[in-house]
Amino acid sequence: MPDSMPQLTLHDSSSRSTVPFAPLDPGNVRVYYCGPTVYDLAHIGNLRAMITADILVRLLRHLYPRVTYVRNITDVDDKINARARANGEPIDALTARTIRDFHDDLAAVGVLPPDVEPRATHHVAEMIALIERLIASGHAYEAQGHVLFAVAHFPDYGALSGRSPDDLLAGARVEVAPYKRDAGDFVLWKPSEPDLPGWESPWGRGRPGWHIECSAMSHRYLGESFDIHGGGSDLLFPHHENERAQSQCCFPHSRFANHWVHNAMLLVNGEKMSKSLGNFLTIRDVLSDTPAEALRLLLLHAQYRSVLNFTRAGLDEAKQTLNRFYRAIGDLPADSTDPVPDEVLAAMCDDLNTPRALAEMHGLADRALAGDRAAAAGLRAAGRLLGLLGQSADTWFRAGAGVDEAEIESLIAERLAARKSRDFARADAIRTDLAARGILLEDSATGTIWRRA
Ligand SMILES: [Zn+2]
């Protein structure tokens, strides 16, 4: 890293402090993120983790010559089996469709793909190899066709999350079972019913537990020790604690992940998102009437470690900000390669301080709107670092309204017809409706034109 580059500092969940980031190999920074369990559309809480990863990896790529970013796909899981059964659909069809939808949704909001996207079902042999090592070293045991990790045999268990094995009982995806030596022991392998996915193993036909897949895939693609492991704070315990226990018991002199990054949760209208509260939003729900870039910007309003409250007002604010930024950029070409302004880079290097970076961008927009072309170029470059402002201003103002151009033209035609038949109430309703969506109509002698408010 050149001397002129600011030092990246990142909060590390393991040490519970914000520390300078120092890669194990500055020539290849290695990052692992837990990806989706593919049985349903991704929701905006999932998206927050994926966007946090995206801005982190974009920043690392800016600072270092090479980054290897691995994000797995969990395509074997009890929830997948249950959903496929409920849908009356083959498991492969469900997972293939969900993966396609996931990729489409992330691409829409400008999340770049990982370098490697391993699927759990393609790495069962690697998982079996790790489980065999754990049994051989006395960290795991077989019981009634299951293989369990013995938490009591790893004295450091709980050090990552600061929690105790007893807390496992309250954790997700853990069942109390008679074959466990300790209630906190977790499943590495379990028997599979004939009609469910299964693989031959030294312990009979079965399927892996959830945690072991990330230990196997991170090891395969990033080695025994790598730089950053990330995910939503809901994964810290037990999932990441268990991954770390497995990996450090397999490779006793490794660090597994050197640095742990966890993003805080997302609320919707101040409440935890849940289907029962009726505030559950998939990415698609939001994109049905909102420009994707506004959703992306909204998720950057809060620094990743702060709880983010998703509201319609927040989305509107994001749209207004983008209107302002695109006005400031004007006709500057989208593919410019101007340097990222120091103050924006410094904000991002301060533990991904996106609110501060956006405040700096507003400052650049002020100067750009006053005619400063260099500030406009800086704003465009800052946008590139954050995955924003990637389209031309013209495209944004034409399409960014979240309404389809063809739909606007057809509503204008319908309004004209309504006026001709003297249905002024209908004509006015169309005008009011479009105005509410940010589209203003202007009638002239030659016809009606529209523009973005
Ligand atoms: Zn994982």
Side-chain angles (χ1 to χ4, degrees), residues 33-252:
Y33 253 78
C34 297
T37 301
V38 285
Y39 66 99
D40 208 346
L41 290 169
H43 58 69
I44 57 174
N46 305 136
L47 179 60
R48 189 174 196 205
M50 297 297 100
I51 283 195
T52 302
D54 189 58
I55 57 165
L56 172 59
V57 170
R58 282 173 189 263
L59 178 63
L60 291 170
R61 288 195 201 288
H62 187 85
L63 297 174
Y64 296 97
R66 184 174 163 215
V67 176
T68 304
Y69 170 33
V70 179
R71 186 185 68 208
N72 73 303
I73 287 176
T74 300
D75 59 351
V76 52
D77 187 276
D78 292 351
K79 287 205 281 274
I80 296 172
N81 300 340
R83 180 63 62 89
R85 186 170 289 175
N87 288 357
E89 177 180 29
I91 287 170
D92 287 354
L94 171 64
T95 56
R97 173 165 51 80
T98 310
I99 291 169
R100 227 170 23 243
D101 290 343
F102 178 71
H103 287 161
D104 289 350
D105 290 351
L106 289 198
V109 288
V111 172
L112 300 175
D115 299 288
V116 190
E117 191 171 47
R119 292 175 62 157
T121 52
H122 299 178
H123 296 79
V124 175
E126 286 89 338
M127 297 181 218
I128 290 173
L130 290 194
I131 296 169
E132 287 183 306
R133 280 182 86 114
L134 290 171
I135 293 175
S137 62
H139 292 103
Y141 59 95
E142 186 186 359
Q144 295 178 26
H146 294 69
V147 181
L148 293 130
F149 184 91
V151 292
H153 287 253
F154 182 53
D156 212 23
Y157 191 85
L160 168 62
S161 60
R163 294 173 70 171
S164 75
D166 295 338
D167 292 336
L168 262 170
L169 294 176
R173 304 196 194 194
V174 169
E175 16 174 355
V176 179
Y179 47 80
K180 288 184 178 181
R181 287 183 196 161
D182 277 312
D185 293 352
F186 57 88
V187 168
L188 301 171
W189 189 264
K190 62 181 172 186
S192 209
E193 298 79 354
D195 59 333
L196 288 177
W199 290 261
E200 291 309 323
S201 81
W203 320 287
R205 183 179 179 280
R207 58 186 199 269
W210 175 37
H211 313 299
I212 193 69
E213 69 175 77
C214 291
S215 287
M217 291 186 276
S218 62
H219 179 251
R220 162 90 184 262
Y221 296 101
L222 299 175
E224 292 180 12
S225 300
F226 54 93
D227 293 298
I228 298 174
H229 192 318
S233 57
D234 54 330
L235 296 183
L236 175 59
F237 187 86
H239 182 54
H240 288 165
E241 190 74 57
N242 293 356
E243 283 184 26
R244 175 175 169 274
Q246 295 160 163
S247 292
Q248 291 204 315
C249 289
C250 278
F251 310 107

